[in-house]
Amino acid sequence: MTNPEYILGSDEAEIDRLQTQAAILAEPTALLFQRGGIRPGMRVLDLGSGPGDVAFQVADIVGPDGFVVGVERDPAQIAAATARRDRLGLGNVEFRRGDARTFVDDEPFDAGVCRLLLMHLPDAADVLAHQMRNLRPGGVFVAVDYDMGGARALPEVELYSRVRDWLWAGFEYAHVDPFVGMRLPVLFGQAGYDDVGALGLQAYWPPENRQAAGYVVGVVRAMKDAIVASGAATEDEIDLDTLELRLGDALGAAGAVYTAPTVVGGWGRRPSRT
């Protein structure tokens, strides 16, 4: 298995961005996890925990009779997640340092989850196959990720389309797959799971929603170096200092409803015979 770097980093600004992103993704994540089979009382593995938002959300679903183990390879993210857990007073969550490609626990899990992890893994099917050994027979794995093909504005707003194309180019340069959500049924099938399913959810933002425009610009900020290195835009063309204002103004002036990438959940079960 390959070991790519996480292109977005782990400094304080990125941790803050991840928490903003988590708030936007909370509702579709909960719906997709439950549709995929996460239930009260389960012992759940969360891969690529970051600052802990997914683990905390799963802890709420599984309740006090369940437990969540979050695995993250970045010590800065683990420190942030642990501090937040302690502030929240959660006794059914713990974080461990480890890599999704190699982590194996001594005790099987009822379920595993990840969010926005597979897009960073060129060997995503291999990782899903490896993680099957962490599940009890019949245990479920649910992955939530993006299909960036859903990002658009109606009517079309030239600046929004340009920003989307910058991000596509930056992700491609960084070997990140922003369309992996579309491939989840195939990846789970290749990994050997049974009862494979997938569902996509889409939020629609009104023209006056400046917070959503700010979120999009936050991703551009995190991806700026990759965008520039890809040749899609120069720093002057991006002009981060004014981009959020310009994008909000353009969407508002057009009266455009706009979308971010579709949030897709894919799931499957470890065969009972294995």
Side-chain angles (χ1 to χ4, degrees):
M1 294 184 185
T2 57
N3 190 35
E5 292 299 316
Y6 177 63
I7 187 65
L8 299 175
S10 59
D11 58 15
E12 186 174 345
E14 174 59 9
I15 290 173
D16 288 344
R17 187 193 70 80
L18 287 173
Q19 291 178 33
T20 299
Q21 173 178 268
I24 292 173
L25 295 180
E27 183 178 15
T29 295
L31 292 169
L32 293 168
F33 280 169
Q34 291 175 78
R35 174 63 181 85
I38 307 302
R39 299 288 183 265
M42 281 185 163
R43 183 172 185 261
V44 181
L45 173 64
D46 172 34
L47 297 173
S49 281
D53 294 282
V54 171
F56 303 147
Q57 195 162 6
V58 174
D60 185 61
I61 296 171
V62 301
D65 293 329
F67 198 83
V68 183
V69 176
V71 173
E72 169 60 48
R73 68 180 187 176
D74 186 340
Q77 300 274 19
I78 294 172
T82 301
R84 295 179 69 205
R85 178 203 64 189
D86 293 345
R87 287 196 299 271
L88 291 167
L90 293 175
N92 62 341
V93 181
E94 70 174 51
F95 295 100
R96 303 182 194 172
R97 190 173 183 185
D99 193 298
R101 297 166 188 76
T102 57
F103 179 82
V104 178
D105 197 38
D106 294 333
E107 182 181 350
F109 292 87
D110 299 304
V113 301
C114 64
R115 184 174 72 188
L116 303 186
L117 174 68
L118 298 184
M119 67 188 298
H120 297 281
L121 304 180
D123 50 1
D126 292 337
V127 174
L128 288 172
H130 169 76
Q131 287 303 325
M132 193 183 290
R133 73 184 63 182
N134 275 316
L135 301 175
R136 62 168 175 79
V140 66
F141 197 98
V142 186
V144 172
D145 228 301
Y146 277 152
D147 171 15
M148 202 170 175
R152 62 197 187 281
L154 186 70
E156 182 176 4
V157 174
E158 191 273 335
L159 180 57
Y160 192 72
S161 297
R162 202 181 336 147
V163 167
R164 179 198 61 203
D165 293 347
W166 292 344
L167 288 171
W168 284 358
F171 282 128
E172 182 178 12
Y173 176 83
H175 305 292
V176 173
D177 182 3
F179 305 99
V180 72
M182 190 81 174
R183 300 195 299 116
L184 289 178
V186 171
L187 293 173
F188 274 92
Q190 290 173 341
Y193 286 80
D194 284 347
D195 302 327
V196 172
L199 177 69
L201 299 176
Q202 184 71 70
Y204 293 83
W205 294 328
E208 64 273 12
N209 191 329
R210 296 252 173 181
Q211 181 184 15
Y215 164 66
V216 172
V217 173
V219 181
V220 175
R221 182 173 288 106
M223 289 292 297
K224 176 180 67 68
D225 290 346
I227 292 169
V228 172
S230 76
T234 66
E235 289 197 33
D236 287 343
E237 288 171 331
I238 297 171
D239 191 7
L240 272 174
D241 290 340
T242 67
L243 182 58
E244 183 173 345
L245 177 63
R246 288 185 289 125
L247 185 58
D249 286 348
L251 291 163
V257 174
Y258 61 111
T259 62
T262 306
V263 183
V264 184
W267 54 83
R269 292 192 177 275
R270 176 179 172 172
S272 298
R273 64 186 178 275
T274 62

